[in-house]
């Protein structure tokens, strides 16, 4: 089902002598500049009923008219699935993504993704780019994601991501014992040789990761991570860069490292842990409708808790051996 947007605004005189696209961005802040430019070029955003070029200057006092019928953004099919929804209103959906769920269709995963499930849950999302998905989690990363239900909400949240106002915190288990918390400020780019991977690279995009220690074990560390930026695989790449790759991360951590004297139980858990030990635990943002700060936090999943319990048990046994 398509959605109609119709708005008419008189251009204030003080905005005179500015370009059409600049005035549109001021008067229609709920929509991105690129989308407004597309509507101008398509004749869906007009001045006094006439099409104008995006860079044409206006004098002020004209009527700017937006008349848009939103069309489906892709050919993805809705699929019924059980989506763990933490919160939902008319503007956003907060999801606790489980392990193994691909977020967006891509080569090899055209169906069975979160996007397909969202289209079944809320059919109007077909009119929103990427069905309202504004940020992603890797297939095997669990935890909180936000989905926008309107173009206005999507633009609002994207602006928060770009301005680093949206708070995202994760928990992870790394290999090796950290001495304390810190910050990694290394740029990230696509890997030179393996295009499915990312890497720290001097020509990459800026990436900032803060981390603090929650628990130390003989050969592992449980950490809380806060992102300032949101690069692909950022936490995984940064932790591997400082020689503390995530448990279970075969892509960036290589083969499983088994510490000396490890119990048989912990050895089995580490070898069989099916994914990178990473969970998006907390999310905080300005609500796109009220502009009030809202936040959510979800518990660690069962496999993550089981890993921590085995690490604690192993640490206690190691202390007993010492004394």
């Amino acid at each position: 089902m398509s959605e109609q947007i119709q708005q008419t605004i008189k251009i204030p005189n003080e905005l005179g002598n500015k370009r059409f696209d600049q005035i549109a961005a001021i008067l229609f802040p709920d929509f991105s500049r690129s989308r407004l430019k597309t509507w101008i070029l398509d004749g869906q955003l007009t001045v006094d009923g006439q099409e104008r070029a995006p860079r044409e200057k206006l004098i002020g006092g004209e009527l700017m008219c937006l008349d848009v019928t939103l069309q489906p953004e892709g050919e993805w099919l809705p699929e019924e699935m059980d989506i763990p929804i933490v919160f939902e209103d008319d503007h956003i959906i907060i999801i606790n993504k489980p392990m193994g769920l691909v977020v967006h269709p891509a080569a090899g995963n055209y169906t069975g993704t979160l996007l397909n499930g969202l289209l079944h849950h809320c059919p109007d999302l077909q009119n929103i780019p990427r069905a309202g998905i504004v940020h992603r989690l890797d297939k095997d990363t669990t935890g909180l994601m936000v989905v926008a239900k309107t173009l206005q909400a999507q633009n609002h949240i994207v602006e928060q991501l770009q301005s680093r106002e949206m708070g995202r915190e994760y928990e992870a288990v790394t290999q090796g014992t950290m001495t304390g918390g810190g910050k990694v400020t290394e740029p990230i780019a696509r890997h030179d040789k393996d295009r499915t991977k990312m890497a720290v690279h001097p020509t990459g995009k800026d990436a900032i990761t803060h981390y603090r220690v929650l628990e130390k074990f003989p050969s592992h560390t449980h950490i809380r991570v806060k992102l300032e930026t949101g690069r692909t695989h950022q936490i995984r790449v940064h932790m591997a860069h400082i020689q503390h790759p995530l448990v279970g991360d075969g892509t960036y951590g290589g083969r499983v490292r088994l510490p000396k004297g490890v119990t048989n139980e912990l050895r089995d858990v580490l070898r069989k842990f099916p994914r990178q030990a990473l969970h998006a635990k907390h999310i905080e943002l300005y609500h796109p409708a009220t502009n009030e700060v809202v936040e959510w936090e979800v518990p660690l999943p069962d496999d993550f808790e089981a890993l921590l319990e085995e690490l604690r048990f192993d640490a206690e046994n190691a202390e007993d051996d010492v004394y």
Side-chain angles (χ1 to χ4, degrees):
M1 183 182 298
S2 59
E3 179 183 347
Q4 191 78 16
I5 300 176
Q6 292 179 317
Q7 296 182 38
T8 299
I9 300 177
K10 184 176 181 180
I11 300 173
N13 291 330
E14 57 267 26
L15 293 182
N17 205 35
K18 290 183 179 292
R19 288 171 16 188
F20 182 10
D21 56 357
Q22 293 174 331
I23 298 174
I26 295 171
L27 297 184
F28 296 98
D30 287 338
F31 307 108
S32 68
R33 288 175 179 268
S34 60
R35 183 166 291 275
L36 288 169
K37 184 176 181 180
T38 297
W39 288 340
I40 291 172
L41 294 174
D42 290 345
Q44 296 173 298
L45 182 54
T46 59
V47 177
D48 288 339
Q50 302 295 317
E51 295 184 21
R52 303 285 187 91
R55 299 176 67 88
E56 183 176 341
K57 289 189 176 182
L58 306 179
I59 61 174
E62 302 98 329
L63 289 180
M64 192 175 287
C65 301
L66 178 63
D67 189 352
V68 174
T69 301
L70 299 180
Q71 299 297 333
E73 291 282 339
E75 298 180 356
W76 308 297
L77 297 175
E79 294 180 46
E80 186 173 2
M81 66 176 64
D82 183 20
I83 300 175
I85 294 175
V86 176
F87 171 84
E88 181 176 9
D89 62 14
D90 292 337
H91 310 279
I92 57 175
I93 306 173
I94 304 296
I95 293 165
N96 185 11
K97 190 186 88 66
M99 181 190 75
L101 180 61
V102 175
V103 170
H104 194 283
N109 288 291
Y110 292 109
T111 61
T113 72
L114 175 61
L115 185 146
N116 299 110
L118 286 169
L119 290 176
H120 182 273
H121 172 73
C122 182
D124 285 347
L125 287 175
Q126 68 177 333
N127 300 318
I128 312 298
R130 298 173 299 283
I133 295 170
V134 293
H135 66 120
R136 304 185 190 186
L137 294 178
D138 297 335
K139 175 184 176 182
D140 291 329
T141 298
T142 55
L144 291 169
M145 288 181 58
V146 58
V147 175
K149 295 179 71 173
T150 67
L151 276 176
Q152 295 91 331
Q154 186 182 54
N155 187 54
H156 196 282
I157 294 169
V158 167
E159 286 182 348
Q160 292 182 58
L161 285 166
Q162 292 173 342
S163 64
R164 304 178 183 178
E165 293 178 303
M166 182 171 154
R168 290 167 292 164
E169 294 191 17
Y170 297 69
E171 288 193 21
V173 177
T174 70
Q175 298 182 32
T177 304
M178 293 182 173
T179 56
K183 179 171 71 169
V184 185
T185 57
E186 297 288 348
I188 292 176
R190 188 69 59 181
H191 194 283
D192 288 335
K193 296 179 180 178
D194 186 345
R195 306 305 289 176
T196 65
K197 295 172 61 176
M198 308 300 289
V200 167
H201 195 282
T203 64
K205 295 181 179 179
D206 68 308
I208 303 173
T209 303
H210 301 263
Y211 62 95
R212 60 184 176 91
V213 173
L214 297 179
E215 291 180 272
K216 292 182 183 181
F217 305 106
S219 300
H220 298 85
T221 311
H222 178 200
I223 60 173
R224 184 93 167 194
V225 183
K226 185 173 183 179
L227 293 181
E228 275 196 44
T229 54
R231 308 305 174 201
T232 301
H233 299 174
Q234 179 173 321
I235 295 173
R236 299 166 65 188
V237 171
H238 272 173
M239 291 301 106
H241 179 73
I242 63 172
Q243 307 303 312
H244 289 285
L246 304 190
V247 167
D249 192 350
T251 300
Y252 297 104
R255 297 177 62 183
V256 177
R257 302 179 191 175
L258 296 175
K260 292 181 180 180
V262 65
T263 62
N264 291 333
E265 292 80 6
L266 179 57
R267 179 187 293 111
D268 289 342
V269 168
L270 291 173
R271 282 179 171 170
K272 295 177 181 178
F273 198 76
R275 64 184 183 97
Q276 62 270 7
L278 183 62
H279 176 69
K281 188 172 178 64
H282 181 91
I283 196 166
E284 178 178 310
L285 54 92
Y286 291 96
H287 192 281
T290 66
N291 213 37
E292 294 179 352
V293 175
V294 287
E295 57 185 316
W296 295 267
E297 185 159 313
V298 289
L300 295 171
D302 291 343
D303 64 340
F304 201 119
E305 284 285 11
L307 172 63
L308 290 174
E309 288 177 9
E310 202 57 56
L311 287 168
R312 291 173 187 134
F313 180 77
D314 180 78
E316 290 171 2
N317 281 352
E319 290 175 4
D320 291 341
D321 290 342
V322 172
Y323 298 104

